[in-house]
Amino acid sequence: SCYLMRDLSRSCLELRICAQWQLKMKMISRTLCLVAGHNGLVAAAYLQKGGLRTAVLERRHVLGGAAVSEEIVPGFHFSRCSYLLSLLRPHIYEDLELKKHGLKVYMRDPHAFTPMLEEGVGGAPPRSLTLGSDLAMNQQEIEKFSQKDAKFLAHLEKLAAAVHPLLDAPPVDIPGVTAGSFRKRLAAAHTLKTRNCLKLGRNIPDFYEIITAPIMKILTRWFESEPLRATLATDGVIGAMTSPSNPGSGYVLLHHVMGELEKEKGAWGYVEGGMGGVSQAMARAARSYGVDIFTEKEVEQVLIGPDGAAKGVVLKDGTEIHSRVVLSNATPHVTFKKLTPQASLPPEFIKAVDQIDYTSPVTKINVAVDKLPNFLASPTPDDKPGPHHQCSIHLNCENVEVLETAYKEAMNGRISTRPMLEMTIPSVLDPTLAPPGCHVVSLFTQFTPYHIEGREWTDEDREAYADNVFDWVEQYAPGFKKSVVGRDILAPPDLERIFGLTGGNIFHGSMSLDQLYLARPLPSLSDYRSPITGLYLCGSGSHPGGGVMGSPGWNAALTALADLKRQ
């Protein structure tokens, strides 16, 4: 069983054996995170701080789940899956002293660049739209396309600020509101009121609209400029198998603007050394509290005792590790369909788990280049980076119809012929990622289906798709294809196989209206507790969802600690 440290004998506390022998012991005083994604590391740190002896088990050779850095091409270090930081909750950053533990972030400003594919007038370069934190500059950029478009981003930030209190706590206890004692009902109702409603005030109707409406309904009302509509619409569909015309795409946009870096609202940045730098800082913080972390230790199954409660895990090599509490950072599908004995779960629960949507449109391409891309819309001399090179560079995003067509092709099982592309070049700010004069390029692309017209992806499909993507980049930045010295192509099945992302979904499950807040990933799982006593979800498949945020790990750890205290 898993006890508070003060309840353990001194000899047990002082026992120090090498990691391999520790794993071969029956660790009777452990709380376990099955996968050491960033949420698992956050949960482990808080559990250890709360007085529990905690072990973290990572399936791969590198820590971090999808937030990892890997040297795929010699000399080039990629954020192989997750590639930008913004959503990490400020209190977690401060509590775990991540800056002290080596986390360094390069802030981006400006942050968005959308070049046009068009003939320049009178020999001038094609137009482009660049957005950043300077409101006056943004207005000048927008006025290239429309004199009327303005102020929407400030309005959006106000709505996003109202979501923040919802991120740092489990969803409201609805049974407590409706059926608990009067005191419990009053406390739950007060929590709901203070977390959200007071911050929104008279903006409640606007908030309701943006989380339920198609993002195009809102953008069309606010803006005349098609490039601006399309640029903002990309944040409403990024990572999601949806179109800007589908209900709920507004919330995806809100999810991507509610972050904060260095106390700057809505800012995004590059982590030094790649996104693995976040996971490594979290791991160093966790180890400083006494957490034991093991890599290449794949969990085979959750152990269930005669009383139906979790008793630990068994590894692929047969090693059993005993504990009263198990936290899983894997997706709900992996946790309950692969790691949990099916006989221990209610049939109706298994049926509900089968209905969780993991549809993904994403193929990630990591590219090593020996020359900085030079864009026709904003040319720079002598291979020198301009301000736009540090941005998220939106290609094939001149108008919303391009996004709609790409989405419809994928929904019909076909790879998009003109895919939506988000390019980032973190090496323009972080010199540690590539050799001098060279760069790493991330291409986050969609829409690509998990199956191509009912069949599996082949290596030929991957290469052909990457070639087509490069052809499109070439039109915006001639010479790009010749600069490529290596590439890593990750279609949806590859994201699932390598990183454990069911369906290749980067959010551990779609961020659709039926899978948010009280229903994430299911109504019966929204409080991180599973039907099995002592087994919890702590990954992005639980509230508040995807992104390198830390909130699911924080919330799950507090829930587990509260349950242990009651016990």
Side-chain angles (χ1 to χ4, degrees), residues 368-442:
V369 297
D370 61 12
K371 185 180 179 182
L372 186 68
N374 198 5
F375 294 92
L376 292 174
S378 188
T380 53
D382 304 321
D383 205 30
K384 298 291 185 184
H388 58 287
H389 281 108
Q390 64 185 270
C391 295
S392 290
I393 301 166
H394 302 281
L395 307 180
N396 286 341
C397 298
E398 290 91 338
N399 64 74
V400 175
E401 188 56 41
V402 173
L403 310 183
E404 293 282 0
T405 300
Y407 164 72
K408 290 172 184 174
E409 287 176 320
M411 287 300 292
N412 287 312
R414 301 191 302 274
I415 295 174
S416 302
T417 52
R418 188 178 180 182
M420 181 184 106
L421 309 178
E422 181 175 288
M423 172 191 281
T424 54
I425 316 171
S427 50
V428 300
L429 295 180
D430 180 3
T432 70
L433 298 176
C438 299
H439 290 277
V440 295
V441 175
S442 167

Side-chain angles (χ1 to χ4, degrees), residues 137-216:
M137 187 203 79
N138 288 348
Q139 187 62 42
Q140 288 180 353
E141 287 288 306
I142 291 169
E143 284 174 357
K144 295 178 188 176
F145 304 94
S146 169
Q147 296 291 318
K148 294 183 179 180
D149 295 343
K151 296 187 179 179
F152 175 71
L153 295 180
H155 175 69
L156 203 59
E157 286 175 7
K158 186 185 297 182
L159 299 182
V163 180
H164 291 163
L166 302 179
L167 305 180
D168 298 326
V172 170
D173 178 15
I174 294 299
V177 175
T178 58
S181 66
F182 176 75
R183 184 176 179 179
K184 190 174 182 181
R185 292 200 305 270
L186 190 63
H190 178 71
T191 300
L192 179 61
K193 178 182 176 184
T194 55
R195 277 189 200 166
N196 188 248
C197 295
L198 291 181
K199 275 187 170 285
L200 283 170
R202 283 182 286 182
N203 290 312
I204 288 177
D206 293 331
F207 179 76
Y208 178 79
E209 181 186 42
I210 201 167
I211 64 174
T212 58
I215 190 58
M216 279 313 300

